[in-house]
Amino acid sequence: MDFSFSEEQQAAQEAAAAVFSQVSPDAVPSPALTRGAVAEDFDRPLWQRLARADLLGLAVPPEHGGLGLDPVALCLVLREAGRVLARVPLLETGAAAFTLAAHGSEELRSALLGRIATGELAVTVAGQGRTGHEPADHAVTAHAAPGGTGWILEGVQTAVPWAATADLAVVPARTAEGRPLLACVSPTETAGVCLAEQTSTNGERYAELRLDAVRVPPHEVVEAPEAPGRLHRLLATGTCALALGLGSRVLEMTSEYVSRREQFGFPIATFQAVAVQAADRYIDLRAMEATLWQAAWRLEPADVAVAKMWAADGVRRVVQTAQHLHGGMGADTEYPLHRFHAWAKQWELSHGSAAAHEEALADLLATG
């Protein structure tokens, strides 16, 4: 069997690498240097460059103006984004587009997917639940509106990325009978939606999204019961790709540093203790990579859980070792490593910590 990436997937990765080569992590706003959110909005110029490179339409079917690729292609692009700490909702928009393309009505697909592909719509996802430690669809209740006029949403979702400036938010919810669904709402224009400012670990502008009798028409709701689960798995898998890109770049930075930093007249890279730690982190990255592609290819709950367990623990160990081997330089705010540390912590915990996915995997094995 041939496990290499297809020509289309490789082309997407190469296009992403070209776009992200223009982004310098040194210029990414630092949470250590700014009180509160580091910026009002995500990187709109970068968003438009991604649109011009057709990278926002990866998940969009060709009949709606996209490339019609698969989650593996999206993860290849996200890995490149993670290397430079790209400040764009590429993960959220891509995961939403895949889910809408697979489960949305023809009316909803026609209304949204073409605009996503051109960069006109920046989509975020309320995927963390009320506290960040529960299934997102459990945090919002959907009641049927009188006369079959849609749904009425009540609940709270925390840590919604760039909610104050995104054009659309996909909100998982659950009916009173326990049936999951997805609702598409405008975070700033829909009556009954209230945003409370939050700042993420990496300094980005997030928000708590509170829904108070929010009415959503039926054509803006995805009622396929499998849609919220698929969306969550796409988000978790994409987070693994971001963490892999970040970890790979951090290990490269560490290797470069220990190769030129000398003690007792020798590069510290020649010291056994340093070499062993670097080798352990290389093994972490290879395990993160192997489990990521399995998860992106299959999108099965167990595969996603394993990938997120490795990504969460692995990226934490990579940045901690990098911080240790850099010594005082690692804490220097004029050096970019502290930025990678902040983003690594954000992705480690986003869409489930390692412990949460270990518990999920245990439940799957117990019931399987």
Side-chain angles (χ1 to χ4, degrees):
M1 296 179 67
D2 183 4
F3 291 102
S4 59
F5 298 118
S6 68
E7 291 184 7
E8 293 82 2
Q9 291 166 344
Q10 293 179 58
Q13 179 184 3
E14 291 167 3
V19 172
F20 290 126
S21 67
Q22 304 173 48
V23 180
S24 171
D26 295 38
V28 172
S30 166
L33 302 176
T34 307
R35 296 188 63 179
V38 297
E40 286 294 307
D41 198 2
F42 58 85
D43 190 340
R44 291 281 178 174
L46 175 59
W47 189 250
Q48 292 305 316
R49 293 199 296 273
L50 290 168
R52 289 194 294 271
D54 292 331
L55 292 172
L56 299 184
L58 287 176
V60 175
E63 60 267 27
H64 295 290
L67 299 178
L69 299 182
D70 58 9
V72 173
L74 176 63
C75 286
L76 284 166
V77 173
L78 289 170
R79 184 175 64 175
E80 298 299 324
R83 289 180 59 86
V84 298
L85 310 180
R87 301 181 52 256
V88 287
L90 183 59
L91 166 60
E92 293 79 13
T93 298
F98 271 121
T99 306
L100 292 172
H103 302 291
S105 66
E106 180 55 39
E107 182 179 4
L108 190 60
R109 293 198 300 269
S110 298
L112 299 181
L113 292 179
R115 298 167 67 196
I116 288 173
T118 61
E120 181 183 348
L121 276 185
V123 182
T124 190
V125 177
Q128 304 287 356
R130 181 183 294 270
T131 64
H133 302 288
E134 63 182 335
D137 58 287
H138 288 197
V140 176
T141 302
H143 304 280
T149 56
W151 297 90
I152 300 174
L153 305 184
E154 300 272 359
V156 177
Q157 296 276 2
T158 194
V160 183
W162 295 294
T165 55
D167 303 296
L168 188 72
V170 177
V171 182
R174 186 169 284 259
T175 68
E177 297 76 30
R179 182 162 53 87
L181 53 78
L182 297 174
C184 299
V185 303
S186 168
T188 56
E189 297 181 4
T190 302
V193 176
C194 178
L195 299 179
E197 289 284 340
Q198 295 177 322
T199 303
S200 64
T201 303
N202 55 7
E204 294 302 323
R205 191 181 181 192
Y206 281 29
E208 178 188 78
L209 187 148
R210 186 174 296 273
L211 303 112
D212 183 11
V214 173
R215 288 182 173 268
V216 184
H219 65 273
E220 294 178 359
V221 174
V222 179
E223 297 190 34
E226 64 272 26
R230 177 182 174 85
L231 178 61
H232 171 71
R233 293 194 298 276
L234 284 163
L235 290 167
T237 304
T239 305
C240 297
L242 291 166
L244 176 61
L246 182 151
S248 299
R249 180 61 192 130
V250 166
L251 187 59
E252 291 170 9
M253 291 169 60
T254 305
S255 299
E256 293 164 4
Y257 179 77
V258 299
S259 295
R260 64 174 184 267
R261 175 77 167 88
E262 293 188 357
Q263 283 186 355
F264 313 114
F266 297 94
I268 63 174
T270 62
F271 299 170
Q272 185 179 36
V274 172
V276 167
Q277 290 182 71
D280 285 343
R281 300 296 77 83
Y282 177 80
I283 293 171
D284 276 333
L285 289 173
R286 297 289 69 77
M288 290 167 63
E289 185 172 24
T291 55
L292 164 65
W293 300 130
Q294 175 82 350
W297 177 42
R298 289 165 51 86
L299 277 185
E300 292 293 333
D303 296 316
V304 174
V306 171
K308 190 59 167 68
M309 287 159 50
W310 271 105
D313 282 343
V315 76
R316 173 175 46 79
R317 287 192 292 258
V318 168
V319 295
Q320 286 178 344
T321 296
Q323 203 81 39
H324 173 64
L325 294 181
H326 275 83
M329 181 63 91
D332 186 347
T333 55
E334 295 184 2
Y335 187 71
L337 183 59
H338 74 282
R339 293 174 170 84
F340 285 92
H341 200 208
W343 283 76
K345 179 55 66 175
Q346 181 68 31
W347 288 333
E348 175 193 344
L349 301 177
S350 293
H351 306 295
S353 64
H357 283 277
E358 287 169 4
E359 183 175 349
L361 181 61
D363 290 342
L364 288 169
L365 295 175
T367 58

Coordinates of all heavy atoms in Angstrom, one line a residue, residues 126 129-130 134-143 152-158 170-176 179-181 183 185 209-212 214 216:
A126 N -18.0 27.4 18.7 CA -18.2 27.3 20.1 C -18.0 25.9 20.6 O -19.0 25.2 20.8 CB -19.5 27.9 20.5
G129 N -17.7 24.0 25.3 CA -18.7 23.8 26.4 C -18.8 25.0 27.3 O -18.2 26.1 27.1
R130 N -19.5 24.8 28.4 CA -19.6 25.8 29.4 C -18.3 26.1 30.2 O -18.0 27.2 30.6 CB -20.7 25.5 30.4 CG -21.0 26.5 31.5 CD -22.0 26.0 32.5 NE -23.3 25.9 31.9 CZ -24.2 26.8 31.8 NH1 -24.0 28.0 32.4 NH2 -25.4 26.6 31.2
E134 N -16.4 19.7 29.2 CA -17.6 18.9 29.0 C -17.9 18.9 27.5 O -17.4 19.8 26.8 CB -18.8 19.6 29.7 CG -19.1 21.0 29.2 CD -20.2 21.7 29.9 OE1 -21.1 21.0 30.5 OE2 -20.2 23.0 29.9
P135 N -18.7 18.0 27.0 CA -19.1 18.1 25.6 C -19.8 19.4 25.2 O -20.6 19.8 26.0 CB -20.0 16.9 25.4 CG -19.7 15.9 26.5 CD -19.3 16.8 27.7
A136 N -19.4 20.0 24.1 CA -19.9 21.3 23.8 C -21.4 21.3 23.6 O -22.1 22.3 24.0 CB -19.2 21.8 22.5
D137 N -22.0 20.3 23.1 CA -23.4 20.3 22.8 C -24.2 20.2 24.1 O -25.4 20.4 24.1 CB -23.8 19.2 21.8 CG -23.4 17.8 22.3 OD1 -22.2 17.5 22.3 OD2 -24.3 17.0 22.7
H138 N -23.6 19.8 25.2 CA -24.3 19.7 26.5 C -24.5 21.1 27.1 O -25.3 21.2 28.1 CB -23.5 18.8 27.5 CG -23.6 17.4 27.1 ND1 -23.3 16.4 28.0 CD2 -23.9 16.7 26.0 CE1 -23.4 15.2 27.4 NE2 -23.8 15.4 26.2
A139 N -23.8 22.1 26.6 CA -23.8 23.4 27.3 C -24.9 24.3 26.8 O -25.2 25.3 27.4 CB -22.5 24.1 27.1
V140 N -25.6 23.9 25.7 CA -26.7 24.7 25.1 C -27.9 23.8 24.9 O -27.7 22.7 24.3 CB -26.2 25.4 23.8 CG1 -27.4 26.2 23.2 CG2 -25.0 26.3 24.1
T141 N -29.0 24.3 25.3 CA -30.3 23.6 25.0 C -31.1 24.2 23.9 O -31.2 25.4 23.8 CB -31.2 23.5 26.3 OG1 -30.4 23.0 27.4 CG2 -32.4 22.7 26.1
A142 N -31.5 23.4 23.0 CA -32.3 23.8 21.8 C -33.8 23.4 22.0 O -34.1 22.2 22.1 CB -31.8 23.3 20.5
H143 N -34.7 24.4 22.1 CA -36.1 24.1 22.2 C -36.8 24.4 20.8 O -36.4 25.4 20.2 CB -36.8 25.0 23.2 CG -36.1 24.8 24.6 ND1 -36.4 23.8 25.4 CD2 -35.2 25.6 25.3 CE1 -35.7 23.9 26.6 NE2 -35.0 25.0 26.5
I152 N -35.0 27.6 19.5 CA -34.6 28.7 20.5 C -33.5 28.1 21.3 O -33.6 27.0 22.0 CB -35.8 29.0 21.3 CG1 -37.0 29.6 20.4 CG2 -35.4 30.1 22.4 CD1 -38.3 29.8 21.2
L153 N -32.4 28.8 21.4 CA -31.2 28.4 22.1 C -31.0 29.1 23.4 O -31.2 30.3 23.5 CB -29.9 28.6 21.2 CG -29.9 28.0 19.8 CD1 -28.6 28.2 19.1 CD2 -30.3 26.5 19.8
E154 N -30.7 28.3 24.4 CA -30.3 28.8 25.7 C -29.1 28.1 26.2 O -29.0 26.9 26.2 CB -31.5 28.5 26.7 CG -32.8 29.1 26.4 CD -33.0 30.5 26.9 OE1 -32.1 31.0 27.6 OE2 -34.1 31.1 26.7
G155 N -28.1 28.9 26.7 CA -26.9 28.3 27.3 C -25.7 29.2 27.2 O -25.8 30.3 26.8
V156 N -24.6 28.6 27.5 CA -23.3 29.3 27.5 C -22.2 28.5 27.0 O -22.1 27.3 27.2 CB -22.9 29.7 29.0 CG1 -21.6 30.4 29.0 CG2 -24.0 30.6 29.6
Q157 N -21.4 29.1 26.1 CA -20.2 28.4 25.6 C -19.0 29.3 25.9 O -19.0 30.5 25.7 CB -20.2 28.2 24.1 CG -21.4 27.3 23.6 CD -21.0 25.8 23.6 OE1 -19.9 25.5 24.1 NE2 -21.9 25.0 23.2
T158 N -17.9 28.7 26.5 CA -16.8 29.5 26.9 C -15.7 29.4 25.8 O -15.7 28.5 24.9 CB -16.2 29.0 28.2 OG1 -15.3 30.0 28.7 CG2 -15.5 27.7 28.1
V170 N -20.5 28.6 14.7 CA -21.2 27.3 14.7 C -21.3 26.9 16.2 O -20.3 26.7 16.9 CB -20.5 26.3 13.9 CG1 -21.2 24.9 13.9 CG2 -20.4 26.8 12.4
V171 N -22.5 26.7 16.7 CA -22.8 26.4 18.1 C -23.4 25.0 18.2 O -24.5 24.8 17.8 CB -23.7 27.5 18.7 CG1 -24.0 27.2 20.2 CG2 -23.2 28.9 18.5
P172 N -22.7 24.1 18.8 CA -23.3 22.8 19.2 C -24.4 23.0 20.2 O -24.2 23.8 21.2 CB -22.2 21.9 19.7 CG -20.9 22.7 19.2 CD -21.3 24.1 19.2
A173 N -25.5 22.2 20.1 CA -26.5 22.3 21.1 C -27.2 20.9 21.2 O -26.9 20.0 20.5 CB -27.6 23.4 20.7
R174 N -28.1 20.8 22.2 CA -28.8 19.5 22.4 C -30.3 19.8 22.7 O -30.6 20.7 23.4 CB -28.1 18.8 23.5 CG -28.6 17.4 23.8 CD -27.7 16.6 24.8 NE -26.5 16.2 24.1 CZ -26.2 15.0 23.7 NH1 -27.1 14.0 23.8 NH2 -25.1 14.7 23.1
T175 N -31.1 19.0 22.1 CA -32.6 19.2 22.3 C -32.9 18.7 23.7 O -32.1 18.0 24.3 CB -33.4 18.5 21.3 OG1 -33.2 17.1 21.4 CG2 -33.0 18.9 19.8
A176 N -34.1 19.0 24.1 CA -34.6 18.5 25.4 C -34.6 17.0 25.5 O -34.5 16.4 26.5 CB -36.0 19.1 25.7
R179 N -31.1 15.1 21.6 CA -30.6 14.9 20.3 C -29.6 16.1 20.0 O -30.0 17.3 20.1 CB -31.8 14.9 19.3 CG -31.4 14.7 17.8 CD -32.6 14.3 17.0 NE -33.7 15.1 17.2 CZ -33.9 16.2 16.5 NH1 -33.1 16.6 15.6 NH2 -35.0 17.0 16.7
P180 N -28.4 15.8 19.5 CA -27.5 16.9 19.2 C -27.7 17.6 17.9 O -28.2 16.9 17.0 CB -26.1 16.2 19.3 CG -26.4 14.8 18.9 CD -27.8 14.5 19.4
L181 N -27.4 18.8 17.8 CA -27.5 19.6 16.5 C -26.5 20.7 16.5 O -25.8 21.0 17.5 CB -28.9 20.1 16.3 CG -29.6 20.9 17.4 CD1 -29.1 22.3 17.4 CD2 -31.1 20.9 17.2
A183 N -26.1 24.9 15.3 CA -26.8 26.1 14.8 C -25.7 27.1 14.4 O -24.7 27.2 15.0 CB -27.6 26.7 16.0
V185 N -25.0 31.0 14.0 CA -25.4 32.3 14.4 C -24.3 33.3 14.2 O -23.1 33.0 14.2 CB -25.8 32.3 15.9 CG1 -26.9 31.2 16.2 CG2 -24.6 32.0 16.8
L209 N -19.7 33.1 25.1 CA -20.8 33.3 24.3 C -22.1 32.8 25.1 O -22.2 31.7 25.3 CB -20.7 32.6 23.0 CG -21.7 32.8 21.9 CD1 -21.1 32.7 20.5 CD2 -22.9 31.8 22.0
R210 N -22.9 33.8 25.4 CA -24.1 33.5 26.2 C -25.3 33.7 25.3 O -25.5 34.7 24.6 CB -24.2 34.4 27.4 CG -25.4 34.1 28.3 CD -25.3 35.0 29.6 NE -24.1 34.7 30.3 CZ -24.0 33.7 31.3 NH1 -25.1 32.9 31.5 NH2 -22.9 33.5 31.9
L211 N -26.2 32.6 25.2 CA -27.4 32.7 24.4 C -28.6 32.7 25.3 O -28.8 31.8 26.1 CB -27.4 31.4 23.5 CG -26.2 31.2 22.6 CD1 -25.4 30.0 23.1 CD2 -26.5 31.1 21.2
D212 N -29.4 33.8 25.1 CA -30.6 34.0 25.8 C -31.8 34.1 24.9 O -32.0 35.1 24.3 CB -30.5 35.3 26.7 CG -31.7 35.5 27.6 OD1 -32.5 34.6 27.7 OD2 -31.8 36.6 28.1
V214 N -32.2 32.8 22.0 CA -31.8 33.1 20.6 C -32.6 32.2 19.6 O -32.6 31.0 19.7 CB -30.3 32.8 20.5 CG1 -29.8 33.0 19.0 CG2 -29.5 33.7 21.4
V216 N -33.2 30.7 16.0 CA -32.4 30.3 14.8 C -33.4 29.7 13.8 O -34.1 28.7 14.2 CB -31.3 29.4 15.1 CG1 -30.5 29.0 13.9 CG2 -30.4 29.9 16.2

